[in-house]
Amino acid sequence: MWNPLPSTGVNSFFLDTFIFHLCFLSQLCLVFWSDYGLVIMSDPFLSIRRSGTSESSMEPLLHQLGQRLIRCAPRTLICRKYTHGNGNGADHPSTGSSHTTPVLLVSRLYQPANLREVGQESRQAGEMTCKSQRLMQQAGLIHPSNPGCYYYLPATVRAMEKLVRLIDQEMQGIGGQKLDMPSLCSAELWRSSERWDLMGKELFRLQDRHGVDYCLGPTHEEAVTTLVAHQASLSYRQLPILLYQITRKFRDEPKPRFGLLRGREFYMKDMYSFDVSEEAARHTYDSVCQAYGRLFSRLGLRCLRVQADAGNIGGTLSHEFQLPADIGEDRLLVCGGCSFAANEETLAPGETDCPRCPAGPLAESKGIEVGHTFYLGTKYSRVFNATFSNHQNRPVVSEMGCYGLGVTRILAAAVEVMSTEEAIRWPGLLAPYQVCVVPPKKGSKGSEEGAAQTEGLVHALLGGLPRLRGEVALDDRTQMTIGRRLKDAVRLGYPYVVVVGQGAQEETPRFEVICQQTDETMFLSKDQLVDLLGRVETV
Amino acid sequence: MWNPLPSTGVNSFFLDTFIFHLCFLSQLCLVFWSDYGLVIMSDPFLSIRRSGTSESSMEPLLHQLGQRLIRCAPRTLICRKYTHGNGNGADHPSTGSSHTTPVLLVSRLYQPANLREVGQESRQAGEMTCKSQRLMQQAGLIHPSNPGCYYYLPATVRAMEKLVRLIDQEMQGIGGQKLDMPSLCSAELWRSSERWDLMGKELFRLQDRHGVDYCLGPTHEEAVTTLVAHQASLSYRQLPILLYQITRKFRDEPKPRFGLLRGREFYMKDMYSFDVSEEAARHTYDSVCQAYGRLFSRLGLRCLRVQADAGNIGGTLSHEFQLPADIGEDRLLVCGGCSFAANEETLAPGETDCPRCPAGPLAESKGIEVGHTFYLGTKYSRVFNATFSNHQNRPVVSEMGCYGLGVTRILAAAVEVMSTEEAIRWPGLLAPYQVCVVPPKKGSKGSEEGAAQTEGLVHALLGGLPRLRGEVALDDRTQMTIGRRLKDAVRLGYPYVVVVGQGAQEETPRFEVICQQTDETMFLSKDQLVDLLGRVETV
């Protein structure tokens, strides 16, 4: 079905709505029939030529060219290369050439903005209690399942994959190594640390077919410490060890709410450090806090580091990373005169003055906790006997720290603090797609020329800006007006929306560019636009 | 602590073991003290200069240069840039410049080859029942936790991330869109499909704090069908929809064994398709099977597609993708005359002749099931009322398919069928690191020159071959002989091992290159080596 055909000298078919230039590279070429016409696609490039003719009228031509017509069910594929029109693109099977990423056709994206609020699952999931939940549900980014559990729909998975890459960069930048630990944690392990009883109802518990008790790990201090303890000969020269994972975690919240902000299943980055001494462990602690700071700064999120309670994790030193927000469930007290900030629960009742400077009363604020760091000392390493050999070759118990980042919570918190009431705004690096191109309505005045302009533009973007491959969405729902599609694009928060409107048909074509991060609108030539988008940061 | 300093005109310090040329770019430069000497690192490049002098003797020089000495705990970091020696490299904090990937220092990789076999977890995990389990455990790629549950250690996570990228390419190549569904599946949902009872003890079941029943999803037919059913207006024009996820799955195997081949927690890619008709659904079915074929072919794995039983998933058409292997738990019957192959359980007892051709008796074989496809018809879509509007705007029940790939199982199965008894072999694309460079033993004859050669070589590889960034490991354990480190490298299965031995000190330096995939050994100049490694495929 997917036989690739040798490319030949064809260079002119006629057209339906858009004209595409077929690249005559000495590459394979794919021809197929769809109910919108004949499509010829050369690999590995972006070019398609689609004909509006009927199958029968094309066949002789193809025969003449020594090519064989391939039938193919319409709309089988989202393009991985540039396809167009009503979404019936096809793709040359991947042959190992790595970067054949595409334009996304908006009509094909599974981001249903019309998910019914029916079924017990949805009702159980409760009211839409905050802006990020409402916006993300309405936009088809998430969909409620059981209480506190959500489907992450494709655009959200893209945003999350970007966030994971950023976190990987920052964690590996300070020496973190990524591993993956089982979700099923044995009761035996958790009884050793006394957390089996301590965690109470927050822990999801289950038994296997042999009646053995397990919990679903909300954090993995026990698991990672026992892993490191198993290493027979760990030398002081090998420390610090920083191990982290980015996995799904479980917590049976009494009152799941606020969408991804307080769920019962969520993705978390949890890192654990093992050091030779308290001094070294505090140094590691600082370097993780600094990496967190860099992460939030790259995301453009203002994040407060506040002194915090160690809760049931334990340890003697702890900080939370808080995004100030009205719906935040944590009450913070922040000094205007110095960098002091604290979770209210760490202060004595009635303590309102800054303990570090004479600036006077602390200001109250609310925050969403997106990260938490703990210096654990030897709380876990003592229990599981996680030791290393010191200079004198004697066993010494490691000093530990643990460090969490709420991955799905960061996504939702960013949407919460950056969005307007009606429109989603993302940290630039996390937007599922950087650019949305909106061509004219089919059949409108100048729509054919506009379509050709669109084609040239997308070609220029993908050809000239490799970093934008996979980042450009084309709103091909050309049965709709530009205005209606623009409204969608604004609501979904693409950082750059490019409208191919009247200006594109002037002698010097100009594209309307809406920079949603800065609320600027500009009219740019193709070259200026490529220049602008060439400066977009991606991860 | 991490203050970056402006680079200055320093260009000569003396040295400890290796000499590095400091790049005098107009870049920031980082200076720190470690217990091995003073290190100066310029960003964004690979250069380090390390001095063997004491801190005090360096200080005046630095003062004279207007630089400030920065103290820094030794061995804080795995390099993200090129560091050397005993692993005490440091890193300039990531500032958003994306690709500052490094040489990995083998001494720093958390791949403990000496994990003790102690603790009840390990005993419970049972004997090492097959080659892949033994090799992967001995090499520190995995470590047993609870029965059928494993820690995936960092090198395995790298291999798995590569496999996930490959699967993403192939699934998105046929129009698949990636989402992520909750692990907690409500009993109510599973009772609707009657699988709550049907699955018996294989299902991990639990109750939340309110006494509501859940299972941990081993597959997600119910969840995805109810999601698609919730879309209020789904037109025939929007079909097919192909949704997939790559997530951790749970199955309470009666007898977990063979390491990652039959576990109770594992990663699976599960895709679900929704089509307008049986014909369209069968077309989608074929295109998924072809994508699976391409995936295994890119991995260099010989994979049989055999007719299979639909088991408790249901449906009327089903195939397994099987890797022939002695330890395989499935018995296959394969025709020598045509492409017919079947799982024994689908044939009538005693049926030994090929039903499709007169070639005669079928040959017996054993296989490891790595993929499974099902044409489901309307089994689930009927139950959950997953409909679309047809041409006449009337609701019609979708035709479904589902398609699994065992992600962690593919990793282990590949190791099982490709490795020797003593040495791991990976599909080239999945090897955690493509290249391992082995410099001479410290203090051996010509070791200083060898070290300089190594530095030049690594510089050339990383500078000239961007695709190899992050793929080059440097075995810096120079207290060990080349032979001993070479043995490790052979055992761990780096596709290319480069030894900087005697040949590197000849007038025309030659590096010994062991291509482990083909068992060839070559002696190449630096340019030839760069040329060879420039052709390495990565994902």
Side-chain angles (χ1 to χ4, degrees), chain A residues 165-204:
Chain A
R165 284 198 288 274
L166 269 181
I167 294 174
D168 282 340
Q169 285 177 10
E170 294 300 339
M171 294 303 106
Q172 291 172 19
I174 55 167
Q177 304 194 53
K178 196 174 188 178
L179 82 171
D180 192 316
M181 296 185 268
S183 293
L184 291 169
C185 299
S186 77
E188 187 194 351
L189 205 58
W190 277 62
R191 287 200 184 102
S192 307
S193 66
E194 296 174 6
R195 289 211 295 167
W196 182 258
D197 294 327
L198 193 65
M199 289 288 289
K201 289 193 166 179
E202 285 208 0
L203 218 48
F204 278 110

Side-chain angles (χ1 to χ4, degrees), chain A residues 27-42:
Chain A
Q27 297 288 342
L28 296 179
C29 168
L30 188 69
V31 180
F32 67 94
W33 177 255
S34 79
D35 62 0
Y36 290 90
L38 185 79
V39 177
I40 299 188
M41 178 185 285
S42 71

